[in-house]
Amino acid sequence: MIEFLQQLINGLAQGGIYALIALGYTMVYGVLRFINFAHGDIFMLGAFAGFYAGPAVLRITGVGPSLAAVLLVLPIAMLACALAGMAIERLCYRPLRGRPRLTVLITAIGVSLLLENGGQFVFGANPRSFPELITDRALVLPPALGSLATLTITLSQVLVLGIALLLLGGLRQVVGRTRTGLAMRALSLNPTAAQLMGVDLDRIIALTFGLGSALAGAAGILASIQQPSIDPLMGIAAGLKAFVAAVLGGIGSLTGAVVGGLLIGVLEALVVGYLSPTYRDPIVFGVLILILLFRPAGLLGRFQPEKV
Amino acid sequence: MHSRLLPALLGLALLAAPAAAQDVIKIGEFASMTGANASFGRQSHNGTQLAIDEINAAGGVLGRRLQLILEDDQSTAGQAATAVQKLIAQDKVVALLGEVASSKSLEGAPIAQRNKIPMISPASTNPKVTETGDYIFRVCFIDPFQGTVMAKYALSKGWKKIAVLTDVKQDYSVGLAEFFVKYYTANGGTIVRDQKYSSGDKEFRAQITSIKGAAPDAVFVPGYYGEVALIGKQARLLGLNVPLLGGDGWVGESLLPVAAGALDGSFFSAHFSTDDTRPAVQDFVRKYRAKYNSTPDDMAALGYDSAMILAEAIKRAGGTDSAKLRDAIAATKNHAGITGVITLDAQRNAAKSAVILTINQGGFKFQETVAP
C-alpha cells in the first residue's frame, strides 16, 4: 500500500511537468487548430535558459540554492521561452497562415529538428549538469501519520506540483478574466467572426504562443530541478508524452491538459513500478490510440463536428 | 557539423597536396559524436586521432600517411549502419574503427563482415559483437568476464541480496546483467528485484521505489553514464542508501558532475585508470591533456589502442589487402597498449585485466586489478 502511494506521488510529480507542456499544445491548437510539434523543444530551451541564467543569478544576487533562487530563475526562463516561441511563430508559422494545415505541420517538424540539432551544435551534445537552484531533499513527514510517514516526498516534487498548479490558476485567470483571454477564446470559437469584431489576429496568436512557451519554459526548469541532467534532445520524449496528455484530456481544454498530464504521469509510474518499463511507452501511446478511436474529443473536450 | 566539416577540409587539403591521394591509407571511424552517448564518441575519437597523428608524425605506415575519416552516428539506432555503409561504399576505407556502444557495433559489424572490411571495436564488450564474423575484432575484454568480476567483488564484500536495474534498449546492459546474475546466483547470491529502464529515461523513481521495497545490500546498474548519474541521485533522494555497482558504461564525462556526490561509495569495473603509474599510461595522459585540455578516460585509451593495433597490422601485412590485413590483425600478440597487454584470441577478443574503481569525493579511485 505504501509502495503504491509512493508510486502515485512519483507519478503526480512527473505528471505536473507533462501538464505544463500539454497546456502549450492545447492553447495553440485552440486558436490555430494546429499541433506545434516544436513545443517539446521549447521545453528544452527553458532548461538551457536556466542552465545559463542560474549560475549568473546566484552570483549576482548572492542568494544560495533556495526557493528564492528558483523564483528568480523561473521568470527568466519563461521570458526567454516566450520570446523564442513568439519568434518561431513570427518567422516560421505566420508566413504560412492560410496555407494548407499540412504545410504548417511539416514546418513545425522542421523547426523541431532545427532546435534539436541546432541545440547540439550550440549547447554541445553531452548531457549537462543543471545548476543546483534548490537543494533537493526528502521532506520529514510528521510521525503522527503512522505508516504514511515512511513515504518519501521530496522538496522538488512539492515544488513542481505547487508551481504547476499556481501557473494553471494564473493561466485560467488570464484566459477567463482578461480582454486578451476573451479574444483568445473568441478566436478559438470562430476566427472569422472574431476578426470582424476587431480582434487583432496576429497579436493574439503571438501572445498565445508566448504564454504557451512560457509554461513550457517553466516546465523545463522544474523538470531539471527534479532530474538535473539536461541535453538538447530532452524535449523529444517529454513533448510526445505531453502531446498524448493534451489529447487525452481533450485538446483545446486547459483543465483537460492538466488532468491529462497528471493521468499520464501516474499511469507511467504505475506501469513502470508494477509491470515493466518496457511496456511504458506502448501503454501510453496505446492510450492515445484508444482515445482517438473511442473518444476523439478527449476526456474533457467538446466534440465539434467539422462543418462542410 | 564541426566534426564533419573538419575532416572534410582536411581531406581537401590532402588532395591538394601533390600526389598525396596515392600515399594515403584511408581508415574509417564511426562514433557517437552527438546525442546521448557523445562522451563515448568524443573520447574514443580523440584517442584514435591522437594515435593517428603520432603515427603520421613518425612517417606514417609503409611510407604512407593514415587518414582518419569520421562519421557521426548521433547515438541513434540505425545511424551506425548508415555511417558504416557510407565509409565502405563512398570513402573506400580499408578498415573500420568503432563503436563504443555494443548495439552500435552490432549494427556496423554485419556490413563490415559482408564487405570483408576488417573492423576493430575499441570498447564494445558484448560477446555478440565479434561473433558476427571473422573480420570483427575488439581490443577490450568482454562482458562474461566483466560481469563475473563485479559479481565476485559483490560476494567478497558480503553483499548477499542484490537488485538489478537494466537498460533494456542496450545489448551491452542486458548482456552484462545476464552474466553478472549467472555468476552471482550460482555462488550464493540472491537477486531480490529485477527492474528495467530504457535509454533516455530521466525519471527512475518508480523503479527505485520498487527496489527499495526489496531492501537489497547493493544495486547492480550496468547502464551508461547519462542514466546512471540520475539513478544515483534519485536513489539517494528516495532514501535508497546502498552502494551501486556497474560496468565500464559508467565512464563518461558527465557522470560525476550530474551525480554530484550521489555515487560516492559506488563501484564499477573499467579498462584503465589514470592512477596507473606505468610510464606509457602517464605519457598518454599527458599527451592527451596537452592536446585536448581534458582528461582521457577508458574510451580514449581504447580508441588509441585500437588505432595503434590497426597501424601495426597494416605494417605487418605489408599493405591494405583485406584478407592479409585481417590475418595480420588476428595475429596481434603482446601489443603493449595503454589499457594493458593485448593479445587477440581465436574469438578475436582481447583477454585483459579489468580494474575496479570506486567513486570518492567527485573522483575515480583505483581499487584493484582483476586478471582474467
Side-chain angles (χ1 to χ4, degrees):
Chain A
M1 187 59 195
I2 289 292
E3 193 176 314
F4 178 76
L5 288 176
Q6 184 68 56
Q7 298 293 18
L8 222 53
I9 293 168
N10 298 340
L12 281 175
Q14 183 64 22
I17 306 281
Y18 292 152
L20 281 175
I21 310 176
L23 283 168
Y25 277 112
T26 237
M27 288 170 69
V28 166
Y29 184 85
V31 296
L32 281 181
R33 293 288 179 275
F34 129 81
I35 300 293
N36 177 18
F37 274 112
H39 190 61
D41 302 300
I42 299 281
F43 161 78
M44 173 274 289
L45 288 182
F48 274 94
F51 175 79
Y52 289 111
V57 165
L58 292 182
R59 202 172 50 243
I60 292 167
T61 59
V63 294
S66 61
L67 185 62
V70 176
L71 294 180
L72 281 170
V73 173
L74 205 59
I76 297 178
M78 289 174 72
L79 184 69
C81 287
L83 291 177
M86 284 157 81
I88 289 169
E89 190 274 330
R90 180 69 191 85
L91 296 173
C92 307
Y93 302 150
R94 194 180 295 180
L96 295 174
R97 203 171 301 149
R99 300 285 179 82
R101 238 170 256 164
L102 191 63
T103 317
V104 197
L105 197 72
I106 292 170
T107 308
I109 295 172
V111 172
S112 165
L113 288 174
L114 176 76
L115 291 177
E116 284 154 19
N117 292 294
Q120 296 198 57
F121 187 64
V122 177
F123 306 133
N126 236 351
R128 308 291 278 273
S129 171
F130 194 75
E132 191 172 46
L133 297 179
I134 187 163
T135 311
D136 203 3
R137 58 185 164 82
L139 299 177
V140 182
L141 301 177
L145 288 172
S147 64
L148 287 184
T150 57
L151 285 176
T152 310
I153 302 177
T154 60
L155 197 58
S156 66
Q157 290 177 322
V158 177
L159 203 65
V160 166
L161 276 180
I163 292 184
L165 290 177
L166 271 178
L167 287 174
L168 171 70
L171 184 67
R172 286 189 69 100
Q173 291 294 319
V174 171
V175 174
R177 298 280 167 83
T178 65
R179 288 185 69 84
T180 311
L182 186 67
M184 280 179 189
R185 282 179 290 142
L187 257 186
S188 117
L189 215 57
N190 188 330
T192 322
Q195 265 180 298
L196 290 174
M197 294 298 140
V199 171
D200 182 348
L201 195 69
D202 286 344
R203 196 180 132 256
I204 297 301
I205 290 176
L207 276 174
T208 309
F209 268 88
L211 265 179
S213 303
L215 293 175
I221 297 290
L222 295 174
S224 309
I225 291 174
Q226 280 207 74
Q227 300 135 8
S229 159
I230 64 172
D231 63 81
L233 302 183
M234 65 189 282
I236 302 174
L240 276 176
K241 299 289 171 55
F243 168 64
V244 176
V247 175
L248 170 64
I251 194 135
S253 153
L254 295 183
T255 320
V258 174
V259 171
L262 295 177
L263 278 178
I264 292 289
V266 169
L267 180 70
E268 279 194 354
L270 294 182
V271 169
V272 171
Y274 292 103
L275 281 173
S276 158
T278 332
Y279 296 132
R280 185 193 56 198
D281 291 357
I283 288 180
V284 168
F285 294 114
V287 165
L288 176 67
I289 295 172
L290 288 180
I291 283 283
L292 290 176
L293 279 178
F294 296 109
R295 204 180 151 77
L299 295 178
L300 300 180
R302 257 169 298 140
F303 184 63
Q304 291 166 322
E306 195 104 344
K307 289 184 209 95
V308 187
Chain B
M1 250 175 172
H2 225 81
S3 50
R4 284 200 193 169
L5 206 61
L6 214 62
L9 286 175
L10 274 172
L12 276 179
L14 282 169
L15 280 176
Q22 256 84 43
D23 303 345
V24 158
I25 296 175
K26 287 183 178 175
I27 295 169
E29 183 193 10
F30 63 115
S32 303
M33 300 303 290
T34 53
N37 298 331
S39 170
F40 288 163
R42 194 166 38 232
Q43 286 271 351
S44 65
H45 172 65
N46 285 351
T48 307
Q49 189 68 58
L50 189 65
I52 300 276
D53 290 350
E54 269 175 34
I55 294 162
N56 283 338
V61 178
L62 306 172
R64 294 159 76 185
R65 285 173 53 82
L66 298 183
Q67 184 194 348
L68 187 66
I69 303 173
L70 172 69
E71 277 291 319
D72 175 15
D73 62 40
Q74 303 160 19
S75 314
T76 310
Q79 290 295 325
T82 316
V84 168
Q85 197 76 259
K86 176 176 176 281
L87 286 168
I88 294 176
Q90 278 185 33
D91 298 315
K92 311 259 185 261
V93 299
V94 302
L96 286 161
L97 298 173
E99 235 264 14
V100 171
S102 294
S103 45
K104 302 290 181 319
S105 289
L106 281 166
E107 276 181 26
I111 301 167
Q113 178 67 29
R114 215 178 309 132
N115 289 285
K116 301 215 179 308
I117 298 292
M119 166 178 147
I120 307 179
S121 162
S124 291
T125 49
N126 190 294
K128 285 185 281 179
V129 172
T130 45
E131 284 165 12
T132 307
D134 60 349
Y135 274 77
I136 314 301
F137 301 87
R138 76 179 107 214
V139 296
C140 53
F141 51 64
I142 55 176
D143 287 334
F145 170 62
Q146 188 174 203
T148 308
V149 164
M150 286 317 286
K152 266 188 198 161
Y153 191 73
L155 289 164
S156 77
K157 285 270 183 182
W159 296 325
K160 291 287 178 202
K161 293 190 300 173
I162 279 190
V164 180
L165 182 53
T166 321
D167 182 345
V168 288
K169 270 199 194 156
Q170 299 294 345
D171 295 305
Y172 159 77
S173 185
V174 175
L176 185 51
E178 190 188 312
F179 297 115
F180 175 90
V181 169
K182 206 161 132 197
Y183 186 90
Y184 184 71
T185 50
N187 289 279
T190 315
I191 301 298
V192 289
R193 195 62 48 106
D194 183 10
Q195 274 288 345
K196 297 177 169 45
Y197 66 92
S198 302
S199 296
D201 284 0
K202 287 179 185 290
E203 174 64 34
F204 305 95
R205 286 177 171 82
Q207 291 95 322
I208 293 164
T209 300
S210 158
I211 287 173
K212 196 184 163 201
D217 297 328
V219 187
F220 186 56
V221 193
Y224 288 147
Y225 61 95
E227 289 85 12
V228 169
L230 286 175
I231 290 171
K233 195 139 194 173
Q234 292 174 17
R236 299 302 174 247
L237 269 177
L238 286 176
L240 180 66
N241 291 316
V242 297
L244 304 189
L245 309 173
D248 58 333
W250 281 26
V251 177
E253 290 159 355
S254 65
L255 179 81
L256 295 176
V258 172
L263 286 170
D264 278 10
S266 292
F267 300 87
F268 64 99
S269 50
H271 305 270
F272 149 94
S273 162
T274 47
D275 296 342
D276 194 330
T277 49
R278 281 187 297 139
V281 175
Q282 289 309 319
D283 196 39
F284 168 74
V285 172
R286 210 191 57 247
K287 280 185 295 191
Y288 188 98
R289 280 204 179 117
K291 182 158 184 188
Y292 302 109
N293 203 16
S294 66
T295 306
D297 67 21
D298 302 48
M299 309 313 158
L302 289 167
Y304 184 91
D305 283 352
S306 69
M308 283 298 183
I309 283 179
L310 177 61
E312 214 175 69
I314 295 175
K315 207 179 291 171
R316 273 187 280 117
T320 55
D321 173 71
S322 99
K324 278 189 194 148
L325 181 53
R326 191 220 81 88
D327 293 344
I329 299 173
T332 299
K333 220 173 162 183
N334 295 328
H335 170 91
I338 305 300
T339 56
V341 178
I342 299 170
T343 297
L344 294 181
D345 61 21
Q347 283 75 46
R348 300 168 299 285
N349 300 321
K352 281 193 307 188
S353 306
V355 291
I356 294 179
L357 304 178
T358 180
I359 296 171
N360 188 5
Q361 293 170 349
F364 296 155
K365 297 274 173 310
F366 175 78
Q367 236 9 57
E368 60 182 81
T369 302
V370 186

